[in-house]
Each structure stands twice: as structure tokens, then as C-alpha cells.
Amino acid sequence: MAIDNSWYKELVVYQVWCRSFKDGNGDGQGDLLGVLEKLDYIKSIGANAIWFSPIYPSPNADWGYDISDYKDIHPDFGDLDLFKKIVDEAHKRDMKIIMDLVVNHTSSEHYWFKESMKSKDNPYHNYYIWKDGKGGDSKGGKNPPNNWLSIFEGGAWEYNEQLDQFYMHAFAKGQPDLNMDNPKVREEVKDIMRFWLDMGVDGFREDVITFISKDPDFPNGFPIPIACGIEHYNKGPNLMKYLKEFREDVVNHYDCFLVAESPMTNSKDALKFTSGKDKVFDMMINFDHMNADCFMTDTVHLPFSLKRFKKALSSWQENLYGKAWNALYIENHDHPRVISRYGSEKYRKESGKALAVAAYMMSGTPYIYQGQEIGMVNNHLKSLDEFKDVVTFNNEKVFKKFGVPRFIYLKIANLTSRENARTPVQWDDSENAGFTTGTPWFGVNKNYKNINVKDAESDPDSILNFYRELFKVRQNNKIFIYGKYKEYFHKNKKVYCYEMKYEGQKALVVVSFSEKNIKFKAPRGFKLDKDNVILKNYKDIEIDGNDTLTLRPYEAVVFLYK
Ligand code: GLC
């Protein structure tokens, strides 16, 4: 019998991307001392859990998502003792700690990989996906085993001369994929999980976990310029078997929960993993609603479509209701800042709050990303040389192949790069935004004098104080956590309107996504009355009669009918 872990439904998770959170020792890198110092701040927002993006030793080919030791802490961030202290201090405050579990791949600097390169008979060789090349090219060299391309860095196969074999990497070259078909690798994964759970952590966010099982035939992929072949390892043949093993052998024995990151997964697929007797995840981080201004990936940018945003959220709410659980998020370390994407930098405060209402008054567990709570926006860098991420570098090469000049690519990167979310958190208006007394590893956004935590603390009308209020409203009114969702006016391109229903109560959420005033007539049966307003982002609301609102730019109003 699995332990009852349904507490995950009432969490509010705050994501820490440590290197940019808060520097506690003046070396320019965010660290665990900084996190310790800010635990009460995180709690004050209404969060009762922290998800740490990887804080393990790593050579940083992908800023921590390339792990070279799964059972230690990166020296830039601190050490295991300090981490344990954070776990204890968090627990004292009734907060949970979630680690990032990255086991689709390791770092190429991991001991297992170094051993695997030594010889084909090495016990670690079969920990990775090593394959013979195909035939020879005109220069007598080898061709890779198939046409797959990585998601992050050129081809998906790297040649090793000594072994005369190729290893596979779905992401960067420094991120070789593990061979999950090897039972020893699966035992290692379980061992890592137990290590952290025994230390007291409360769960894992599992990185691209739905990529861990590859088609054993390694057939050629559909020819696309990035990630060719992905259809042969996205939700591969043995995925369920391996996930069940992790769940049954480890997870079910601890009071913990799992949230899976799962690209290219729709709400119907999600039910296979998150409901019924085969449930392997407690919830999933999906990408559907993050594609409302792009095609497949942020880099292929399109104008924001509210209809697409609403359709994605509705589909997850409707399909999962009563069967599975949602993870609610609009920002993380992999996407540009949401105000710059789906809101308006001109109406930063209004749209930051409106987006919060749109995303978090529905059923599920909210996740917020560092800086989101103060309405941080995109960075506008002057040169490509200032960027630091393998994805930005790779896209530059791909765009170049298509003849896109560098100065245009700079614009694209400023608009679409995930590095927008990785600038240091802006704590105050002092030098380096109070993030560090040293030289920050990545430039602080120039707007820090206007956007920072200190300012937000002293402004009753700030986005930060609005988030606090919103999470209180959720906590005090379970309708917003467990209620049944129904969308109205799905064709409306400017307003998002939905109802929540729970134990005889009803709520109506109305959010404008327009920079202009809009007249909005409530759905039939809803009487709009100031007395029913439980959350709003303008001082007062404007009602005509009892069913029409005048919505000002990015106005958001929530009515509750008890
Ligand atoms: C996930 C992470 C992302 C990382 C990638 C490879 O998508 O969120 O940051 O680069 O996996 O590990």
C-alpha cells in the first residue's frame, strides 16, 4: 500500500534556480547560503515547498542539467551539510523540499561515462548508448548509426576514436544519454532517489523523464533541423515499465511525490501516467499552454494567441478533473519571462497580476519561478557575446544555416531565449541589485532600480503583495484548489473567463488580456456584485447594471458565490 501523499495537492511550489537566486558568499554565484537567508521570504509569498533546479556537481554544459555526481552539492552552491540544514529549516517552517532528478542523461564528466569510454568490456560501457557507426564516408571515416539530431547541439551522436563507436546524446554533447534498458542503470537511479529521500527530501521533479526509453531499433527520424528522431524516444516502448519500477521499488515506500517534466504530452496522454492503478506520477509539467506564442519551441515565435492559451488550459482542467492532478505554471528556467510573452511590459503590474489570476485560480498545484513574484521581465542584451546558454549558441548556428544574419538572431534570442529567466533575482536597487557583492556570473537586468523585491515589499499594490493575497485566497477557499472548471466564451480573443464549482459554491474568474478598455457581459446566471469580489487587480471594479463589467487594461476580477 502506497503512503497517502495527497498533501501535494495543497502545495505552492517556489522554484529556485540557485546560481541566480542570491549569493551568500560574495563570489558572484547564487548559493545555498543565499537560499537559507531567504527561506522566510519564500514562505512569506505563500509558498510551502521549494523545487531546486539541479544543485549537484556539474561542469555546466547545460548549467547543472549535466550532473557529474548525483550524491553531492556543487561547490559553487555549498555542501551536503548546508543542504541538510536547509532541509531541516524548511521542515521547521512546514515547507517541503523537492530535488530535480535528471536521469535521462548524465554529464560526460560523470565517473560512469569516463569509465564507459575506456573499453567495450568496461562494466560501465553499457550504462550508455554506444553504437557502431554505419559504413565509411568518403574520407574513410564513420557515419553515425542514424540521422538523429540533438535538441541542443548538432548531431545526436559523438564519435569516439578509441572505441570506434558513437555515443548518443539527446541534449548537449556533454550530456550522454543513459541506457535505461540496462537493469544496473535502473538500480543506480533507485539508489540516487533513496539517497535524497533518506536525507529528508520530499519528492522529485523528474527532468525529461518521458525520454528515458529509446526504440531499440534506432530507426531514422523524421527529417527536421533540430531534435530529428525524437519520436523514437519520446514515450518509448519500455517507459511505463521503468517508471513503475521506480514507483514500486522506491517512491511508494516514502512519504513523497513526483512531478514529471514531459514535453510533447497532451492531457489525454497524461492520464495514462497520472491516474488509475498504473499511476506513476502525481502530476506532470506539460508544455501545451507554453506554446501560445510559438510553434513547438519558444524559438519559433508567433504572436500570442489567447485562444490557444485558453484551449490548452481548458483541455488539462477538463480531462484531468476527478481523475488526475494538474501542475499549474507560467514560468520556469526554460522560458522567457511571462509578462514579456503573454502580458505587456507597458502594463507590467496589471498584466503580471492578470496572468497570475488566469493561471492559478484553477485546480492544481501552483509552481512559481524566482522573480516571477516581483514581475521580472525579459532582458534586452546588446550583443550575442553576452549570452551563456548552449541552446542560444545552437540556435544561432541553425538560424545561420537558414541565412538569418547575426543582428536579427540577436533580436530573436532577446525575445525567445530561456536566458531571459536566468538573470539574477533583483533584491534591491543597490549595485548588482543586491544579488551579490562580487561580480555577478550573468548580467543583472538593467531595470533593477525599478523592479526589485525591496520596492515590492514597501508597495502595497505590488505584484509581490498580490501573489501573497492570491495564495491566501486559494488556501482559504478550497474551490480554487479542488473545484470543477468550466470555460466561457472560448472564442473571445481578449478575455479569459472561467467558472469554478465546488461543494455548492461557485466562482467566476474574469481576466482581460487587452491594453484597451473592454465591455464584458457575464455569462448567463452570474450576477456581478461588488460584495462577491474576492480578488481584483484594480482598486475598484466598474459594473454596469448587474451583469456588465468595464474591464480596464489587463484587469482581473474573481467573484465568489458562497
Ligand atoms: C529539461 C530542463 C532543461 C534542460 C533539459 C536537459 O527540459 O528543464 O533546463 O536543459 O531538460 O536536461
Side-chain angles (χ1 to χ4, degrees):
M1 247 308 257
I3 296 167
D4 174 17
N5 65 350
S6 51
W7 45 260
Y8 65 75
K9 297 186 176 169
E10 296 200 14
L11 293 182
V12 172
V13 184
Y14 186 91
Q15 182 192 353
V16 168
W17 199 82
C18 196
R19 194 169 297 277
S20 287
F21 183 68
K22 174 82 175 92
D23 179 10
N25 67 356
D27 68 355
Q29 323 272 338
D31 52 32
L32 292 182
L33 271 180
V35 176
L36 192 59
E37 185 191 321
K38 296 294 180 190
L39 276 184
D40 288 325
Y41 166 74
I42 296 173
K43 171 116 199 195
S44 80
I45 303 163
N48 53 3
I50 295 176
W51 148 29
F52 279 104
S53 270
I55 46 176
Y56 316 94
S58 160
N60 291 328
D62 181 17
W63 294 112
Y65 281 88
D66 48 320
I67 297 168
S68 53
D69 182 351
Y70 286 94
K71 294 185 179 170
D72 206 348
I73 297 293
H74 197 301
D76 285 352
F77 300 145
D79 56 23
L80 278 173
D81 286 339
L82 185 51
F83 178 74
K84 279 184 210 152
K85 181 149 194 215
I86 289 192
V87 175
D88 288 349
E89 289 297 320
H91 286 167
K92 270 190 216 159
R93 291 164 173 78
D94 254 335
M95 296 170 84
K96 308 276 186 193
I97 296 288
I98 303 154
M99 289 298 258
D100 218 309
L101 184 75
V102 188
V103 291
N104 175 66
H105 43 266
T106 69
S107 159
S108 52
E109 299 291 311
H110 194 288
Y111 170 77
W112 303 335
F113 190 71
K114 288 193 194 154
E115 285 294 304
S116 90
M117 276 196 299
K118 287 189 176 157
S119 78
K120 292 181 191 166
D121 318 318
N122 187 286
Y124 290 98
H125 188 69
N126 199 27
Y127 269 42
Y128 293 88
I129 301 172
W130 286 101
K131 295 265 171 232
D132 293 337
K134 270 198 185 153
D137 65 18
S138 53
K139 294 183 198 112
K142 292 277 168 151
N143 289 323
N146 63 26
N147 69 345
W148 292 7
L149 297 176
S150 83
I151 302 168
F152 281 3
E153 209 174 14
W157 299 95
E158 259 0 87
Y159 184 61
N160 178 293
E161 223 173 294
Q162 191 191 322
L163 296 174
D164 190 23
Q165 279 192 318
F166 290 79
Y167 74 85
M168 189 223 148
H169 59 97
F171 293 90
K173 287 178 194 164
Q175 293 171 295
D177 280 51
L178 281 164
N179 173 16
M180 209 55 77
D181 296 333
N182 179 348
K184 284 197 188 134
V185 172
R186 303 203 295 278
E187 287 312 314
E188 299 278 11
V189 171
K190 294 179 212 168
D191 182 51
I192 295 164
M193 293 174 97
R194 288 188 195 107
F195 175 84
W196 293 102
L197 291 167
D198 287 338
M199 196 181 294
V201 314
D202 305 286
F204 297 101
R205 175 265 188 190
E206 301 189 310
D207 188 68
V208 289
I209 192 74
T210 39
F211 288 1
I212 59 173
S213 165
K214 297 3 181 207
D215 181 332
D217 296 331
F218 288 85
N220 275 339
F222 186 75
I224 45 173
I226 291 185
C228 163
I230 197 164
E231 67 276 23
H232 299 300
Y233 56 83
N234 173 27
K235 301 193 256 317
N238 290 315
L239 176 62
M240 219 32 192
K241 178 175 166 225
Y242 301 158
L243 294 173
K244 268 193 199 162
E245 237 185 87
F246 301 152
R247 188 96 200 177
E248 279 161 19
D249 294 357
V250 184
V251 180
N252 286 351
H253 304 274
Y254 291 84
D255 187 16
C256 68
F257 86 104
L258 292 184
V259 49
E261 185 205 27
S262 185
M264 295 175 294
T265 295
N266 63 34
S267 58
K268 287 206 173 116
D269 296 337
L271 286 177
K272 294 179 209 145
F273 298 97
T274 53
S275 66
K277 68 174 187 4
D278 284 341
K279 170 172 163 176
V280 283
F281 306 132
D282 297 300
M283 58 187 124
M284 291 172 98
I285 296 175
N286 84 90
F287 287 65
D288 288 351
H289 65 293
M290 300 308 276
N291 287 338
D293 68 351
C294 59
F295 179 68
M296 302 284 284
T297 145
D298 293 346
T299 325
V300 185
H301 189 74
L302 300 169
F304 170 64
S305 156
L306 179 62
K307 272 173 73 180
R308 280 172 70 185
F309 184 62
K310 298 196 291 189
K311 191 172 172 208
L313 292 172
S314 293
S315 147
W316 281 77
Q317 287 292 307
E318 286 160 9
N319 284 324
L320 268 57
Y321 180 75
K323 298 183 199 139
W325 196 248
N326 269 288
L328 310 175
Y329 81 101
I330 39 177
E331 277 198 16
N332 64 31
H333 65 295
D334 283 334
H335 302 281
R337 292 288 182 181
V338 75
I339 291 176
S340 308
R341 296 182 69 178
Y342 294 179
S344 155
E345 289 184 14
K346 182 170 161 206
Y347 291 99
R348 187 182 67 86
K349 265 194 185 175
E350 293 84 352
S351 68
K353 296 173 190 175
L355 280 156
V357 172
Y360 297 126
M361 300 313 280
M362 57 179 69
S363 173
T365 299
Y367 289 71
I368 60 166
Y369 176 67
Q370 63 188 38
Q372 178 184 339
E373 77 278 13
I374 55 163
M376 282 176 64
V377 296
N378 278 358
N379 207 5
H380 300 280
L381 293 178
K382 296 257 167 345
S383 154
L384 281 172
D385 301 333
E386 294 175 67
F387 286 85
K388 301 211 179 274
D389 181 35
V390 59
V391 177
T392 315
F393 305 148
N394 191 50
N395 286 339
E396 185 184 348
K397 286 188 197 134
V398 176
F399 276 91
K400 197 173 167 193
K401 263 195 204 150
F402 286 96
V404 176
R406 263 189 125 222
F407 77 96
I408 303 260
Y409 178 64
L410 173 64
K411 288 199 172 138
I412 297 173
N414 271 326
L415 188 68
T416 67
S417 147
R418 61 183 185 170
E419 295 185 68
N420 281 302
R422 298 179 177 189
T423 58
V425 171
Q426 296 157 206
W427 293 102
D428 58 39
D429 59 2
S430 69
E431 202 185 352
N432 298 322
F435 162 70
T436 180
T437 51
T439 308
W441 77 279
F442 188 33
V444 172
N445 194 316
K446 305 270 182 302
N447 61 23
Y448 72 92
K449 292 219 187 267
N450 301 323
I451 305 173
N452 61 65
V453 174
K454 191 169 158 227
D455 247 34
E457 288 285 7
S458 60
D459 170 9
D461 194 34
S462 65
I463 297 179
L464 174 62
N465 283 318
F466 187 80
Y467 265 107
R468 288 178 171 143
E469 195 187 340
L470 183 152
F471 290 134
K472 260 188 214 132
V473 169
R474 266 184 73 97
Q475 211 50 42
N476 295 336
N477 298 281
K478 303 291 180 205
I479 181 172
F480 299 111
I481 302 180
Y482 298 103
K484 185 169 190 202
Y485 166 103
K486 179 176 171 189
E487 188 191 343
Y488 288 99
F489 313 123
H490 68 275
K491 287 196 180 132
N492 191 318
K493 292 181 183 159
K494 298 289 174 200
V495 180
Y496 189 10
C497 173
Y498 59 87
E499 159 196 298
M500 297 297 289
K501 228 171 158 179
Y502 183 67
E503 295 188 339
Q505 292 188 358
K506 257 191 183 188
L508 188 72
V509 179
V510 182
V511 185
S512 163
F513 278 75
S514 173
E515 294 196 352
K516 303 215 172 85
N517 283 2
I518 296 181
K519 288 265 180 221
F520 174 80
K521 201 164 157 18
R524 202 175 313 148
F526 284 93
K527 207 172 132 234
L528 305 184
D529 191 324
K530 291 190 183 183
D531 292 344
N532 292 111
V533 174
I534 189 152
L535 190 65
K536 59 184 178 345
N537 66 346
Y538 277 74
K539 285 229 155 43
D540 209 357
I541 62 166
E542 285 180 18
I543 305 176
D544 288 350
N546 62 17
D547 68 352
T548 304
L549 278 172
T550 303
L551 294 171
R552 286 149 292 184
Y554 294 96
E555 183 160 358
V557 194
V558 182
F559 299 88
L560 179 63
Y561 306 91
K562 292 198 180 184

